[in-house]
Amino acid sequence: MITPRQLFYKRLVSEWRFQYTAWKPAVDWTVALYILLPATALGLYGYLSLWRQPPAWLALIPLNGLMIVVFYFAWSGTVRIFIEEADQLFLWQCRDWIRQLIGFGLGYSAAVNLLLTILLFALLAPVLLLHFRLSWAQSGLLAAITFLLKMDLGLARRLMTSQQQSWPLLNPRTALFLISGVAFTWAIRPVLNSAALCLLATALLLFLFIILIRARINSRGIFQEDVAREASARLRYASFALRASGVNIKKPGPQRRCPWLWSRSQPLFGERNPVNCLTETCIKLFLRNLNELKLYLLLSVLCVAFAWPYGAWAKLAVWCCYAVLFAGWSSFYWQHTAASDFMSLLRWKQADLSAAARKSIFILMLPGFLLAGLVLGFQAFSWPGALATLPAAVPLGYLATRFVSRFL
Amino acid sequence: MDTLLSVKIEHAGYAGNPRAVEDVGFSLRSGELLGLIGANGAGKSTVIRAITGLLPELAGTVNFQRPDSRYAYIPEQPVLYDELTLWEHLELAASAFGLERREFLDRAGRLLELFRLDKVRHHLPGSFSKGMRQKTMLIIGFLIAADVYIIDEPFMGLDPPAMMDLLSLLDRQRVRGAGVLLSTHVLDTAERICDSLALMDSGRLIMQGNLEQIRAACNMPGAPLLACFNKILESI
C-alpha cells in the first residue's frame, strides 16, 4: 500500500514532469543554439572578468544597496507543500498523512532554497570578497542568514491568509516586507562585524524557522488558500513558457473584490473605439497582475545586469537589441489577452486586432526598455548618455514593435 | 438513534467575511438523511466547509460521534486527482485509512461492479462524466465505510437515472447506520427524500425539523416545501 512518502514522491515527479513539458516547446534547439548558449558564454566571460578585476563602477554601489538585492532574493520565491484540491475528499481528515506531506514539501523547499542561495552567493562571491572585502566566513554567514530568512519569510507569508484590503499599506504582507527589508539591509553590516550578533541573528532565525514549520504543519482552515497558492506556484514560470508556445493558461484568479489599479474602471483613452478598448484591456490585465509586473521588472533588471560589464558602445548596442526583446516579451501579454475565453465570445475585425496589438505592445515595452536605456546610458556616458536614450527609445521601440507584430 | 455529527457554529466564514454564516446548529443521527436547504448564496456550502475543516474562520464546535469517525465528502464540483486512475484513487484512500490489502481488494472489486465502473478502473478521471466522478467519490466513501456522507448539491448536472442510482446507493448506507448530510436548492426533490430539513437563508438557519413540523410551523398543512420556504422568507 502507499505511504505518505511515496505519495509525496509521486507529486514531486509529477511537478517536474509538468515543468519539463511546459518548457520543452519554448526552449527548442534554435533558442538553445542562438540565445541560451551565447548568453551563457557571455555571462561566464563577464563573471570571470569580475574575479580578475572588479570594475570601477562597483564603487557606486554601497553594501546596503547590494543587501537590497539580497533581501529581494530572500523575499521572492515560495515554499511548496504539494497539497492538491482533491485532498479535501478524504485525505484532509487524515491529519497524520497531511502533516507528513507538508513536512516533506517543506523539506524539499528548504533543499531548493539552499541550492538557490548557494548559487546566488557563488555569483556574488567576487563582489563580496574582492570589492567589499568580506572574509569567507562573513560571506558564508551572510549566505546562511539569507537562507534562513528566505525560509522564514516564505513560511510566514504562507501562514498569512489573504485579506481583501482596499488600502495596500494595511496589508500584513506589506508590513512584513517593509519591516524585514529595513531590518535586514541596515542591520546586516553590524551583524557581520560581530561574532556575537551573528550567532544571535542565526539562532533567532533558526528558532523562528522551527516555530513557523510547526505552525504550518499544524494549521488548519487555510486549505483553499493553499490549493490556490500551489496552483499559482506551479504556473509561476511555466505559464510564461506555455504562453510562448501558444497555450492559453488560466491562472487562479485574485481574491480582491476591486482591482488595486483603476478601481472604478476608469478608461485609459479618451476616445472609445475598438482599438483603444482592446489596448486598454491588455494594459489593465498586465498592470493589475503583480506576478506579471514582477517578471517584467526582473527582465529589466536582468537586461541591465547582463549589459553592465561591457564597454560603453557595446552597452548601447546591446540596449538597441533589447528593443526586440522587450517587444517580444510584451507580445506575449497581447497574445494572452487576445486568446482569452471572453475575447473569443466577441467578434472583432482583424484590422482592429492588429492595430490594438501594435499599440499594446508598443506601450507595454516602452517602460522597461526606457528604464534599461536610462541606466545603461548613464553608466556609459553619464547624464548625456542617459538623456540621449530617451528620444532614441521611441523610434527603436516603434520599429521593434512593427517587426514583432508581423509574426502575430 | 446515535448522534453521528453535532454542529454548533456561532459564526464562520472567510478572511474577508468571517461571519458568512451565523448561529447554525443541527445534529445528524444514524440512518438519517438531513437536507440542508436554501437558495444560492444561503451559506450551505460554507456550513459544509466548516464541518470538513476547510474554512479559515470558525467559532463554534463540530463534533463527530467518535474521534476516529470517518466522513466522505462529495463537493458540488467533483474534484479528483487528474493524474491518478480510478483504481489508484481507491488504493490511496485505502492506504490513508489503514485498510488491509485483502480487504481492500475484496471491497474495491465489489464496489466497482456495483457502481458499474469496473471497466474504467484504470482510466483517468478526466475522461469521466459528472455522474461517473460522483460515483468515484461515493465509492471512496463506501470503501472506507464512512460514518457520515456530506454531499454538496448532488443533483446538479445529473440525469434522472443517475439521480435514482445515487439515492438508492445512499439508502443502502443509511441501512448500515451511516448518516447523510445533503445540501440542495432543489426543494421538491428534498421534500421527497429527506427525513429532516434545515432551512438556511442569508447565512442563518431559519427553520429546522421534518416536513410535517415545517408545514405546521407555517400553518400550511399539505403544502409543498417550496411554498413553506417562501412563506418563511416573507415573514423574516
Side-chain angles (χ1 to χ4, degrees):
Chain A
M1 304 296 267
I2 302 166
T3 63
R5 184 190 292 268
Q6 286 169 328
L7 179 64
F8 170 73
Y9 284 142
K10 277 182 112 131
R11 292 187 178 183
L12 191 59
V13 168
S14 164
E15 170 70 16
W16 289 344
R17 203 185 306 129
F18 173 79
Q19 298 296 335
Y20 175 73
T21 312
W23 280 98
K24 195 169 162 225
V27 185
D28 61 7
W29 71 270
T30 51
V31 170
L33 188 62
Y34 292 111
I35 298 176
L36 284 182
L37 282 176
T40 306
L42 283 169
L44 204 58
Y45 173 77
Y47 179 68
L48 291 171
S49 308
L50 281 176
W51 275 110
R52 277 195 295 270
Q53 178 64 47
W57 53 261
L58 272 177
L60 295 171
I61 304 174
L63 182 64
N64 287 354
L66 182 64
M67 289 304 107
I68 292 174
V69 173
V70 172
F71 175 75
Y72 184 74
F73 164 79
W75 178 263
S76 66
T78 187
V79 170
R80 301 286 305 271
I81 57 172
F82 295 94
I83 293 287
E84 295 187 17
E85 192 174 12
D87 288 343
Q88 66 185 287
L89 292 180
F90 56 86
L91 213 57
W92 190 245
Q93 61 187 294
C94 303
R95 293 310 300 162
D96 188 50
W97 272 67
I98 294 295
R99 268 193 281 269
Q100 288 191 63
L101 208 56
I102 293 176
F104 289 134
L106 293 178
Y108 167 76
S109 296
V112 167
N113 284 335
L114 183 62
L115 278 171
L116 290 173
T117 308
I118 291 171
L119 183 63
L120 173 73
F121 278 85
L123 291 172
L124 288 177
V127 176
L128 292 172
L129 297 169
L130 301 179
H131 175 70
F132 290 111
R133 304 249 181 250
L134 294 184
S135 66
W136 282 96
Q138 284 174 314
S139 303
L141 280 164
L142 180 58
I145 288 172
T146 305
F147 164 68
L148 286 172
L149 184 65
K150 191 172 175 65
M151 287 304 298
D152 287 348
L153 290 173
L155 284 163
R157 289 201 323 265
R158 275 217 89 125
L159 282 167
M160 287 176 185
T161 55
S162 66
Q163 304 271 340
Q164 288 189 357
Q165 301 277 353
S166 57
W167 187 243
L169 283 180
L170 293 176
N171 189 317
R173 282 170 64 105
T174 309
L176 178 66
F177 176 79
L178 289 172
I179 292 169
S180 53
V182 167
F184 180 80
T185 50
W186 287 106
I188 197 64
R189 189 95 211 210
V191 165
L192 289 178
N193 286 337
S194 160
L197 281 178
C198 227
L199 265 171
L200 184 66
T202 313
L204 182 67
L205 288 170
L206 196 57
F207 176 71
L208 267 174
F209 182 50
I210 294 165
I211 298 283
L212 288 168
I213 280 196
R214 290 183 67 169
R216 183 58 200 90
I217 287 175
N218 292 318
S219 67
R220 288 184 69 96
I222 50 177
F223 176 81
Q224 303 291 356
E225 296 245 358
D226 280 338
V227 167
R229 281 182 190 163
E230 285 296 309
S232 259
R234 194 172 221 222
L235 291 171
R236 192 185 170 94
Y237 300 113
S239 61
F240 171 74
L242 288 165
R243 282 209 297 271
S245 313
V247 178
N248 190 19
I249 291 292
K250 197 168 181 179
K251 286 175 88 167
Q255 296 186 2
R256 296 184 141 269
R257 271 196 288 264
C258 293
W260 64 290
L261 271 183
W262 300 291
S263 57
R264 292 195 157 297
S265 312
Q266 299 92 315
L268 295 185
F269 302 102
E271 193 182 336
R272 310 307 288 160
N273 55 46
V275 173
N276 282 350
C277 285
L278 280 166
T279 307
E280 183 176 301
T281 302
C282 181
I283 293 171
K284 281 183 174 177
L285 284 178
F286 166 67
L287 289 177
R288 281 171 175 166
N289 188 323
L290 279 177
N291 285 332
E292 302 285 5
L293 268 178
K294 277 190 232 171
L295 272 178
Y296 186 87
L297 192 60
L298 186 63
L299 173 71
S300 310
V301 168
L302 285 174
C303 287
V304 167
F306 183 78
W308 198 278
Y310 303 108
W313 289 109
K315 251 191 262 291
L316 293 182
V318 168
W319 174 69
C320 291
C321 298
Y322 282 161
V324 176
L325 177 66
F326 276 98
W329 185 280
S330 301
S331 73
F332 292 142
Y333 300 127
W334 166 257
Q335 285 178 69
H336 177 60
T337 304
S340 63
D341 295 336
F342 185 74
M343 282 293 188
S344 61
L345 296 174
L346 309 164
R347 295 184 70 121
W348 301 98
K349 290 190 194 139
Q350 190 50 49
D352 289 337
L353 284 171
S354 303
R358 286 193 296 275
K359 197 164 181 175
S360 306
I361 292 168
F362 179 66
I363 292 172
L364 288 177
M365 64 83 61
L366 260 189
F369 185 51
L370 267 171
L371 179 67
L374 280 170
V375 175
L376 292 173
F378 177 83
Q379 203 207 351
F381 297 111
S382 191
W383 284 111
L387 292 172
T389 59
L390 286 174
V394 173
L396 280 172
Y398 177 77
L399 287 170
T401 301
R402 295 293 300 209
F403 172 71
V404 161
S405 55
R406 259 195 266 161
F407 299 100
L408 294 176
Chain B
M1 278 194 289
D2 290 341
T3 298
L4 297 174
L5 169 67
S6 169
V7 176
K8 286 188 182 89
I9 297 174
E10 288 162 27
H11 63 84
Y14 310 91
N17 183 15
R19 300 185 105 82
V21 297
E22 285 182 293
D23 300 323
V24 175
F26 56 83
S27 304
L28 177 67
R29 293 189 297 272
S30 170
E32 184 182 19
L33 197 162
L34 168 63
L36 193 59
I37 310 298
N40 288 332
K44 308 186 295 295
S45 296
T46 305
V47 168
I48 283 178
R49 287 199 192 111
I51 295 170
T52 52
L54 298 173
L55 273 194
E57 303 280 343
L58 171 63
T61 55
V62 172
N63 291 318
F64 287 87
Q65 183 190 34
R66 300 184 313 271
D68 61 345
S69 285
R70 298 169 178 183
Y71 66 80
Y73 173 44
I74 293 109
E76 181 182 349
Q77 292 299 327
V79 282
L80 295 165
Y81 297 104
D82 292 332
E83 297 187 16
L84 294 186
T85 62
L86 166 52
W87 184 255
E88 285 167 344
H89 277 83
L90 303 185
E91 276 199 322
L92 180 59
S95 300
F97 288 92
L99 224 56
E100 291 292 327
R101 182 82 186 157
R102 199 176 297 176
E103 191 182 0
F104 159 67
L105 290 172
D106 178 51
R107 270 196 216 175
R110 281 191 287 110
L111 285 167
L112 286 170
E113 281 196 38
L114 176 67
F115 281 78
R116 298 190 294 276
L117 293 178
D118 190 48
K119 292 196 167 70
V120 296
R121 64 165 72 192
H122 299 302
H123 290 201
L124 293 171
S127 60
F128 290 0
S129 66
K130 187 188 174 188
M132 289 167 77
R133 287 170 183 236
Q134 268 195 338
K135 281 188 187 176
T136 301
M137 294 188 288
L138 278 172
I139 289 175
I140 292 168
F142 292 9
L143 183 74
I144 63 174
D147 303 298
V148 174
Y149 289 82
I150 303 169
I151 314 179
D152 196 354
E153 300 284 1
F155 307 125
M156 302 312 294
L158 277 193
D159 56 29
M163 254 167 61
M164 295 310 300
D165 268 350
L166 173 67
L167 293 171
S168 153
L169 291 161
L170 287 175
D171 274 342
R172 291 196 204 197
Q173 295 303 302
R174 289 167 59 198
V175 166
R176 181 177 65 78
V180 179
L181 174 64
L182 182 153
S183 90
T184 183
H185 60 262
V186 184
L187 269 61
D188 49 0
T189 306
E191 76 172 75
R192 281 186 289 111
I193 65 172
C194 295
D195 299 316
S196 55
L197 301 152
L199 279 61
M200 287 194 67
D201 182 61
S202 302
R204 287 177 176 272
L205 198 63
I206 53 175
M207 184 155 296
Q208 59 181 317
N210 58 38
L211 184 58
E212 286 311 315
Q213 287 168 338
I214 290 171
R215 283 169 172 162
C218 298
N219 201 22
M220 297 172 79
L225 180 60
L226 179 60
C228 296
F229 191 49
N230 281 336
K231 185 167 182 190
I232 294 166
L233 288 180
E234 279 163 15
S235 66
I236 294 175

Short mmCIF file of all heavy atoms in Angstrom, two decimals, chain B residues 114-147:
data_model
loop_
_atom_site.label_atom_id
_atom_site.label_comp_id
_atom_site.label_asym_id
_atom_site.label_seq_id
_atom_site.Cartn_x
_atom_site.Cartn_y
_atom_site.Cartn_z
N LEU B 114 -20.61 -2.91 -8.49
CA LEU B 114 -21.90 -2.35 -8.07
C LEU B 114 -22.18 -1.02 -8.75
O LEU B 114 -23.29 -0.75 -9.19
CB LEU B 114 -21.89 -2.18 -6.54
CG LEU B 114 -23.10 -1.52 -5.90
CD1 LEU B 114 -24.31 -2.42 -6.05
CD2 LEU B 114 -22.85 -1.22 -4.43
N PHE B 115 -21.14 -0.19 -8.86
CA PHE B 115 -21.31 1.13 -9.46
C PHE B 115 -21.11 1.11 -10.97
O PHE B 115 -21.14 2.15 -11.63
CB PHE B 115 -20.30 2.12 -8.84
CG PHE B 115 -20.68 2.63 -7.49
CD1 PHE B 115 -20.51 1.85 -6.36
CD2 PHE B 115 -21.23 3.88 -7.35
CE1 PHE B 115 -20.86 2.34 -5.11
CE2 PHE B 115 -21.58 4.38 -6.10
CZ PHE B 115 -21.39 3.60 -4.98
N ARG B 116 -20.86 -0.07 -11.51
CA ARG B 116 -20.69 -0.24 -12.97
C ARG B 116 -19.51 0.59 -13.50
O ARG B 116 -19.57 1.20 -14.56
CB ARG B 116 -21.97 0.11 -13.73
CG ARG B 116 -23.15 -0.78 -13.37
CD ARG B 116 -24.31 -0.55 -14.31
NE ARG B 116 -24.88 0.78 -14.20
CZ ARG B 116 -25.80 1.14 -13.30
NH1 ARG B 116 -26.23 0.27 -12.41
NH2 ARG B 116 -26.29 2.36 -13.29
N LEU B 117 -18.44 0.63 -12.72
CA LEU B 117 -17.23 1.33 -13.16
C LEU B 117 -16.04 0.38 -13.28
O LEU B 117 -14.89 0.81 -13.37
CB LEU B 117 -16.87 2.44 -12.14
CG LEU B 117 -17.84 3.61 -12.07
CD1 LEU B 117 -17.40 4.61 -11.01
CD2 LEU B 117 -17.95 4.33 -13.41
N ASP B 118 -16.32 -0.88 -13.32
CA ASP B 118 -15.25 -1.87 -13.34
C ASP B 118 -14.40 -1.75 -14.62
O ASP B 118 -13.18 -1.87 -14.57
CB ASP B 118 -15.84 -3.28 -13.23
CG ASP B 118 -14.76 -4.31 -13.02
OD1 ASP B 118 -13.90 -4.09 -12.14
OD2 ASP B 118 -14.76 -5.32 -13.75
N LYS B 119 -15.07 -1.44 -15.71
CA LYS B 119 -14.33 -1.39 -16.99
C LYS B 119 -13.43 -0.16 -17.09
O LYS B 119 -12.57 -0.08 -17.96
CB LYS B 119 -15.30 -1.40 -18.16
CG LYS B 119 -16.05 -2.72 -18.33
CD LYS B 119 -16.69 -2.79 -19.71
CE LYS B 119 -17.17 -4.18 -20.04
NZ LYS B 119 -18.33 -4.64 -19.29
N VAL B 120 -13.65 0.84 -16.25
CA VAL B 120 -12.84 2.06 -16.34
C VAL B 120 -11.94 2.22 -15.12
O VAL B 120 -11.49 3.33 -14.81
CB VAL B 120 -13.75 3.32 -16.49
CG1 VAL B 120 -14.51 3.26 -17.80
CG2 VAL B 120 -14.70 3.47 -15.31
N ARG B 121 -11.64 1.13 -14.43
CA ARG B 121 -10.87 1.23 -13.20
C ARG B 121 -9.47 1.80 -13.45
O ARG B 121 -8.87 2.38 -12.54
CB ARG B 121 -10.78 -0.11 -12.49
CG ARG B 121 -10.04 -1.21 -13.24
CD ARG B 121 -9.68 -2.37 -12.32
NE ARG B 121 -10.84 -3.16 -11.94
CZ ARG B 121 -10.82 -4.07 -10.96
NH1 ARG B 121 -9.72 -4.24 -10.26
NH2 ARG B 121 -11.89 -4.75 -10.66
N HIS B 122 -8.96 1.62 -14.66
CA HIS B 122 -7.60 2.11 -14.95
C HIS B 122 -7.63 3.35 -15.82
O HIS B 122 -6.61 3.72 -16.42
CB HIS B 122 -6.76 1.01 -15.59
CG HIS B 122 -6.59 -0.17 -14.69
ND1 HIS B 122 -6.03 -0.07 -13.44
CD2 HIS B 122 -6.97 -1.47 -14.85
CE1 HIS B 122 -6.05 -1.27 -12.87
NE2 HIS B 122 -6.61 -2.14 -13.69
N HIS B 123 -8.78 4.01 -15.87
CA HIS B 123 -8.89 5.25 -16.64
C HIS B 123 -8.65 6.45 -15.75
O HIS B 123 -8.91 6.41 -14.54
CB HIS B 123 -10.28 5.37 -17.27
CG HIS B 123 -10.52 4.37 -18.37
ND1 HIS B 123 -11.50 4.56 -19.33
CD2 HIS B 123 -9.93 3.21 -18.67
CE1 HIS B 123 -11.48 3.53 -20.15
NE2 HIS B 123 -10.54 2.70 -19.78
N LEU B 124 -8.22 7.54 -16.36
CA LEU B 124 -8.05 8.79 -15.61
C LEU B 124 -9.40 9.50 -15.52
O LEU B 124 -10.20 9.44 -16.46
CB LEU B 124 -7.03 9.69 -16.32
CG LEU B 124 -5.60 9.18 -16.34
CD1 LEU B 124 -4.74 10.04 -17.25
CD2 LEU B 124 -5.00 9.17 -14.94
N PRO B 125 -9.66 10.19 -14.43
CA PRO B 125 -10.98 10.81 -14.24
C PRO B 125 -11.28 11.94 -15.21
O PRO B 125 -12.43 12.37 -15.31
CB PRO B 125 -10.93 11.34 -12.80
CG PRO B 125 -9.50 11.39 -12.43
CD PRO B 125 -8.79 10.39 -13.25
N GLY B 126 -10.27 12.41 -15.92
CA GLY B 126 -10.52 13.46 -16.91
C GLY B 126 -11.49 13.02 -17.99
O GLY B 126 -12.20 13.84 -18.58
N SER B 127 -11.57 11.69 -18.20
CA SER B 127 -12.46 11.18 -19.25
C SER B 127 -13.85 10.84 -18.71
O SER B 127 -14.71 10.38 -19.44
CB SER B 127 -11.84 9.94 -19.88
OG SER B 127 -11.66 8.94 -18.87
N PHE B 128 -14.08 11.05 -17.40
CA PHE B 128 -15.37 10.65 -16.80
C PHE B 128 -16.41 11.74 -16.95
O PHE B 128 -16.11 12.92 -16.95
CB PHE B 128 -15.18 10.38 -15.30
CG PHE B 128 -14.38 9.15 -14.96
CD1 PHE B 128 -13.85 8.34 -15.94
CD2 PHE B 128 -14.16 8.81 -13.64
CE1 PHE B 128 -13.11 7.21 -15.62
CE2 PHE B 128 -13.43 7.68 -13.30
CZ PHE B 128 -12.89 6.88 -14.29
N SER B 129 -17.66 11.31 -16.97
CA SER B 129 -18.78 12.25 -16.91
C SER B 129 -18.94 12.69 -15.45
O SER B 129 -18.32 12.10 -14.55
CB SER B 129 -20.07 11.58 -17.37
OG SER B 129 -20.42 10.55 -16.44
N LYS B 130 -19.83 13.68 -15.25
CA LYS B 130 -20.03 14.14 -13.87
C LYS B 130 -20.57 13.00 -12.99
O LYS B 130 -20.16 12.83 -11.84
CB LYS B 130 -20.98 15.33 -13.83
CG LYS B 130 -21.03 15.90 -12.40
CD LYS B 130 -22.05 16.96 -12.14
CE LYS B 130 -22.03 17.28 -10.64
NZ LYS B 130 -23.06 18.14 -10.15
N GLY B 131 -21.49 12.25 -13.55
CA GLY B 131 -22.06 11.14 -12.79
C GLY B 131 -21.00 10.12 -12.39
O GLY B 131 -20.99 9.62 -11.27
N MET B 132 -20.09 9.84 -13.32
CA MET B 132 -19.03 8.87 -13.03
C MET B 132 -18.08 9.42 -11.96
O MET B 132 -17.61 8.68 -11.11
CB MET B 132 -18.26 8.57 -14.32
CG MET B 132 -19.06 7.74 -15.31
SD MET B 132 -18.30 7.71 -16.93
CE MET B 132 -16.97 6.54 -16.68
N ARG B 133 -17.81 10.72 -12.01
CA ARG B 133 -16.94 11.31 -11.00
C ARG B 133 -17.59 11.26 -9.63
O ARG B 133 -16.94 10.98 -8.61
CB ARG B 133 -16.64 12.76 -11.33
CG ARG B 133 -15.69 12.93 -12.49
CD ARG B 133 -15.64 14.39 -12.90
NE ARG B 133 -14.79 14.54 -14.04
CZ ARG B 133 -13.74 15.37 -14.08
NH1 ARG B 133 -13.43 16.08 -13.04
NH2 ARG B 133 -13.03 15.46 -15.18
N GLN B 134 -18.89 11.53 -9.59
CA GLN B 134 -19.59 11.45 -8.30
C GLN B 134 -19.56 10.02 -7.78
O GLN B 134 -19.37 9.80 -6.58
CB GLN B 134 -21.04 11.89 -8.48
CG GLN B 134 -21.25 13.35 -8.21
CD GLN B 134 -22.71 13.71 -8.03
OE1 GLN B 134 -23.57 12.97 -8.49
NE2 GLN B 134 -22.98 14.82 -7.39
N LYS B 135 -19.75 9.08 -8.67
CA LYS B 135 -19.72 7.67 -8.25
C LYS B 135 -18.34 7.33 -7.70
O LYS B 135 -18.23 6.60 -6.72
CB LYS B 135 -20.03 6.77 -9.43
CG LYS B 135 -21.51 6.68 -9.78
CD LYS B 135 -21.70 5.62 -10.84
CE LYS B 135 -23.10 5.60 -11.35
NZ LYS B 135 -23.26 4.63 -12.45
N THR B 136 -17.30 7.85 -8.32
CA THR B 136 -15.94 7.59 -7.83
C THR B 136 -15.80 8.08 -6.40
O THR B 136 -15.28 7.37 -5.54
CB THR B 136 -14.90 8.30 -8.73
OG1 THR B 136 -15.04 7.83 -10.07
CG2 THR B 136 -13.48 8.04 -8.24
N MET B 137 -16.30 9.28 -6.15
CA MET B 137 -16.20 9.83 -4.79
C MET B 137 -17.05 9.02 -3.82
O MET B 137 -16.67 8.81 -2.66
CB MET B 137 -16.60 11.30 -4.79
CG MET B 137 -15.60 12.15 -5.60
SD MET B 137 -15.85 13.94 -5.47
CE MET B 137 -17.32 14.15 -6.42
N LEU B 138 -18.19 8.53 -4.29
CA LEU B 138 -19.03 7.70 -3.43
C LEU B 138 -18.35 6.37 -3.14
O LEU B 138 -18.41 5.86 -2.01
CB LEU B 138 -20.38 7.43 -4.10
CG LEU B 138 -21.42 8.55 -3.95
CD1 LEU B 138 -22.63 8.26 -4.83
CD2 LEU B 138 -21.85 8.73 -2.51
N ILE B 139 -17.73 5.78 -4.15
CA ILE B 139 -17.02 4.50 -3.95
C ILE B 139 -15.98 4.66 -2.86
O ILE B 139 -15.84 3.79 -1.99
CB ILE B 139 -16.35 4.04 -5.26
CG1 ILE B 139 -17.39 3.58 -6.27
CG2 ILE B 139 -15.39 2.87 -4.99
CD1 ILE B 139 -16.79 3.22 -7.62
N ILE B 140 -15.27 5.79 -2.89
CA ILE B 140 -14.25 6.04 -1.86
C ILE B 140 -14.92 6.04 -0.49
O ILE B 140 -14.41 5.46 0.47
CB ILE B 140 -13.51 7.36 -2.14
CG1 ILE B 140 -12.66 7.22 -3.40
CG2 ILE B 140 -12.64 7.76 -0.95
CD1 ILE B 140 -12.11 8.53 -3.92
N GLY B 141 -16.06 6.72 -0.39
CA GLY B 141 -16.78 6.77 0.88
C GLY B 141 -17.22 5.39 1.34
O GLY B 141 -17.08 5.03 2.50
N PHE B 142 -17.73 4.58 0.39
CA PHE B 142 -18.19 3.24 0.74
C PHE B 142 -17.01 2.35 1.10
O PHE B 142 -17.10 1.50 1.98
CB PHE B 142 -18.96 2.61 -0.43
CG PHE B 142 -20.27 3.28 -0.73
CD1 PHE B 142 -20.64 4.47 -0.13
CD2 PHE B 142 -21.14 2.72 -1.66
CE1 PHE B 142 -21.85 5.09 -0.40
CE2 PHE B 142 -22.36 3.33 -1.95
CZ PHE B 142 -22.70 4.51 -1.34
N LEU B 143 -15.91 2.55 0.41
CA LEU B 143 -14.71 1.74 0.64
C LEU B 143 -14.22 1.90 2.07
O LEU B 143 -13.86 0.93 2.73
CB LEU B 143 -13.61 2.15 -0.35
CG LEU B 143 -12.31 1.36 -0.30
CD1 LEU B 143 -12.51 0.00 -0.93
CD2 LEU B 143 -11.21 2.11 -1.04
N ILE B 144 -14.22 3.13 2.54
CA ILE B 144 -13.71 3.38 3.89
C ILE B 144 -14.81 3.25 4.93
O ILE B 144 -14.58 3.49 6.11
CB ILE B 144 -13.05 4.78 4.01
CG1 ILE B 144 -14.08 5.90 3.78
CG2 ILE B 144 -11.88 4.91 3.04
CD1 ILE B 144 -13.55 7.31 4.01
N ALA B 145 -16.00 2.85 4.48
CA ALA B 145 -17.16 2.66 5.38
C ALA B 145 -17.37 3.91 6.20
O ALA B 145 -17.33 3.90 7.44
CB ALA B 145 -16.95 1.43 6.26
N ALA B 146 -17.59 5.02 5.51
CA ALA B 146 -17.75 6.31 6.19
C ALA B 146 -18.96 6.29 7.11
O ALA B 146 -19.97 5.65 6.81
CB ALA B 146 -17.89 7.43 5.15
N ASP B 147 -18.83 7.00 8.22
CA ASP B 147 -19.95 7.13 9.16
C ASP B 147 -20.91 8.22 8.69
O ASP B 147 -22.12 8.14 8.92
CB ASP B 147 -19.43 7.49 10.55
CG ASP B 147 -18.43 6.48 11.06
OD1 ASP B 147 -18.84 5.32 11.22
OD2 ASP B 147 -17.26 6.84 11.27
#
